[in-house]
Amino acid sequence: MTDAATPASRVLARTPHPLPRDVAAALGDAFLAAEAWERAALIDAGADVLGARRRWLGPLVRDVLTELARPPSDAPRLLVSVIVRSSAFLEAVRKAEERGSPLRIRHRVIAPSVSREPTGALPAIGDVTDLAALLEIDLGRLQWLADVKHWNRRARSPALQHYRYEWRRRPGRVPRLLEIPEQRLRRAQRRLLHAVLALIPVNDAAHGFLPGRSAATGAARHIGAETVISLDLTTFFARVTAPRIYGVLRQSGFSEPVAHTMTGLCTTAVPPAVLAAMPPGGSPDERFALRRALASTHLPQGAPSSPMLANLAIRRLDSRLTGWADALDATYTRYADDLAFSGGPALARRADAFIRGARRIIADEGHEANARKTRVRGRGVRQSVTGIVVNERLNVSRDDYDRLKAIVHNCVVHGPATQNRGGVADFRAHLLGRISWVESLNARRGERLRAEFARIRW
């Protein structure tokens, strides 16, 4: 004796009709798995998916071959978008719906997506399995860390989230959010940085987070200029979006699945509860802009992969600003979010118009220049780039030197514990690092500081 069918059991027993995009995806996979990228082979592959040689397959294949001269093995979603836009496919979907008999998938062929041949020193990463092997983790762990569906972001428990969040207050300014990846994710990001990201070329104007380059190398390009202009980008990392990162990786030759997984591994979106805890600071417009940027998928400030990806993501901005500077025979460099321009009389005469044009380019590329940090300095005043004086040679500013000198002196007189107001874990190494920085810019001042440092009792 069998139980009577209930409404719920009848619903569950139904075979759902595939959506048009699902049919397009099945056709795309079949086309990529066809014996040849030609009309007859693609029609046969489509007929195998649909279970019959439909009349509209011929026009559909013609549309596909017109737009794609070669099989997009590294871009299956591109092929699906071509199929979905095809007038032949749209007409077939419309007629099927009018008949009350939607298109069905009778047979499914899965065609693996393969990356293009790598250029330069980039490693060959054919698919996501190869990426997992490169990062020395299993495929399941990679997919969990990449979190491309944002399941972890929606998790209520912080223990299930991949990032730890810390708000930093800044008096009179909008607060800053540090997004610190958990240890396993950080390790994967660092491996990806060294094995892949660091091998992708950046624009020559970039001087931050690159081997052999620094704030000093960027500032050196502006020594002795008649005019120096400084601009600053607001919420720099948060404005570098996941689509921009994905585009960079696709341009580098990685397949859609590989680029999609890499993007998920290196970007995040801040949970609503963290955004709701934003401390006071900044104007309403600034707070709204920051909250909107953080809620979208972006580069996290705190991940080891973010600085290099930011350099790669704004290569076009660097190129456009370089061209804008070249028009006035000026020089352009960028260190992270600090932009610097320098030039002669032509730049000095048109500084205001030059800045307006630069801001338009910056806005067009999805960023914003901080008006409060825009500076124009002539030769008669102290000119600085990323905090380094560049009037005649590289030098540390007098204010920075005096502050550090006072700290070292107070450490000698009152003890180092009284000067470690920020609670730095290794304050001795911290001070030595700051002294070394001064030495690299002004050896004489560095020697004085180091001699005073030697008198500190630790």
Side-chain angles (χ1 to χ4, degrees):
M1 183 175 179
T2 60
D3 296 333
T6 65
S9 65
R10 286 195 295 269
V11 170
L12 292 174
R14 295 176 186 169
T15 300
H17 297 306
L19 297 173
R21 191 167 188 87
D22 294 331
V23 177
L27 289 170
D29 286 339
F31 289 167
L32 291 176
E35 295 181 358
W37 191 254
E38 56 186 27
R39 176 182 169 82
L42 296 187
I43 291 177
D44 289 342
D48 188 41
V49 170
L50 301 172
R53 195 181 183 89
R54 302 297 180 188
R55 190 175 301 174
W56 51 269
L57 274 175
L60 170 62
V61 169
R62 183 186 62 235
D63 292 344
V64 170
L65 293 176
T66 298
E67 291 209 30
L68 301 170
R70 66 172 184 85
S73 301
D74 63 326
R77 289 192 291 182
L78 172 61
L79 177 55
V80 172
S81 68
V82 171
I83 295 173
V84 168
R85 295 196 314 268
S86 168
S87 58
F89 181 76
L90 293 173
E91 182 65 14
V93 171
R94 185 187 65 80
K95 289 183 177 180
E97 291 177 348
E98 288 179 353
R99 293 193 305 267
S101 177
L103 300 177
R104 292 181 178 273
I105 300 172
R106 303 297 183 183
H107 181 229
R108 184 99 193 223
V109 177
I110 302 298
S113 179
V114 180
S115 298
R116 300 195 303 267
E117 285 295 321
T119 58
L122 285 175
I125 305 176
D127 53 26
V128 179
T129 303
D130 291 342
L131 177 61
L134 180 70
L135 300 181
E136 301 179 9
I137 54 179
D138 60 69
L139 184 58
R141 176 63 57 84
L142 173 61
Q143 293 172 335
W144 179 66
L145 292 176
D147 191 27
V148 294
K149 298 296 184 181
H150 298 281
W151 293 323
N152 295 84
R153 177 180 183 265
R154 293 193 291 266
R156 294 185 177 182
S157 172
L160 297 177
Q161 296 170 1
H162 290 325
Y163 288 85
R164 178 168 54 86
Y165 301 97
E166 293 182 8
W167 283 106
R168 297 293 175 87
R169 296 171 182 261
R170 300 190 294 176
R173 301 167 60 189
V174 68
R176 173 177 294 166
L177 179 64
L178 294 183
E179 302 157 276
I180 306 166
E182 55 91 14
Q183 186 175 6
R184 287 165 294 189
L185 177 58
R186 175 180 289 270
R187 189 182 305 118
Q189 291 171 338
R190 186 172 285 112
R191 286 173 179 162
L192 183 65
L193 169 64
H194 296 306
V196 178
L197 304 179
L199 305 179
I200 304 175
V202 301
N203 190 280
D204 187 58
H207 284 262
F209 319 110
L210 296 170
R213 293 197 167 195
S214 65
T217 62
R221 301 277 300 274
H222 305 280
I223 294 175
E226 180 171 332
T227 300
V228 174
I229 298 175
S230 301
L231 299 176
D232 179 83
L233 302 179
T234 63
T235 56
F236 177 51
F237 288 109
R239 287 179 181 268
V240 180
T241 62
R244 182 63 62 89
I245 298 301
Y246 175 79
V248 167
L249 296 172
R250 288 286 293 125
Q251 289 173 5
S252 300
F254 298 110
S255 67
E256 287 179 342
V258 171
H260 191 54
T261 303
M262 286 184 182
T263 301
L265 199 66
C266 298
T267 60
T268 187
V270 178
V274 176
L275 295 176
M278 181 189 295
S283 68
D285 288 343
E286 290 174 331
R287 295 174 62 81
F288 174 78
L290 177 60
R291 187 179 290 109
R292 181 175 59 181
L294 293 175
S296 302
T297 312
H298 62 279
L299 286 181
Q301 185 169 355
S305 52
S306 290
M308 186 61 189
L309 280 171
N311 280 336
L312 296 172
I314 64 172
R315 286 181 297 184
R316 189 171 67 178
L317 172 61
D318 286 337
S319 296
R320 294 182 66 182
L321 290 177
T322 298
W324 184 244
D326 287 345
L328 289 180
D329 197 25
T331 299
Y332 162 67
T333 62
R334 180 183 56 80
Y335 184 86
D337 55 358
D338 291 319
L339 282 53
F341 304 87
S342 64
L347 180 63
R349 286 194 304 268
R350 303 187 57 189
D352 290 342
F354 182 87
I355 292 173
R356 288 195 298 269
R359 284 176 177 166
R360 284 195 297 269
I361 293 173
I362 291 169
D364 190 49
E365 292 296 325
H367 289 270
E368 182 181 356
N370 189 339
R372 290 180 295 185
K373 289 191 175 183
T374 300
R375 300 286 186 272
V376 180
R377 301 180 178 94
R379 187 173 288 165
V381 299
R382 187 183 69 189
Q383 298 171 324
S384 64
V385 174
T386 58
I388 301 173
V389 178
V390 296
N391 287 71
E392 297 179 358
R393 59 183 176 82
L394 297 184
N395 201 353
V396 62
S397 73
R398 185 72 197 187
D399 291 341
D400 290 342
Y401 173 72
D402 287 344
R403 277 194 294 268
L404 182 55
K405 179 181 177 181
I407 291 174
V408 175
H409 176 73
N410 288 335
C411 286
V412 173
V413 177
H414 305 291
T418 63
Q419 302 304 303
N420 188 12
R421 297 184 177 90
V424 178
D426 191 345
F427 189 56
R428 186 177 188 277
H430 172 76
L431 275 185
L432 278 175
R434 294 181 63 178
I435 292 173
S436 297
W437 171 246
V438 172
E439 280 180 324
S440 68
L441 301 175
N442 189 313
R444 184 180 301 176
R445 287 180 173 178
E447 289 175 4
R448 294 172 186 166
L449 290 174
R450 192 169 289 276
E452 187 75 358
F453 178 86
R455 300 174 56 206
I456 301 175
R457 295 183 178 181
W458 296 94

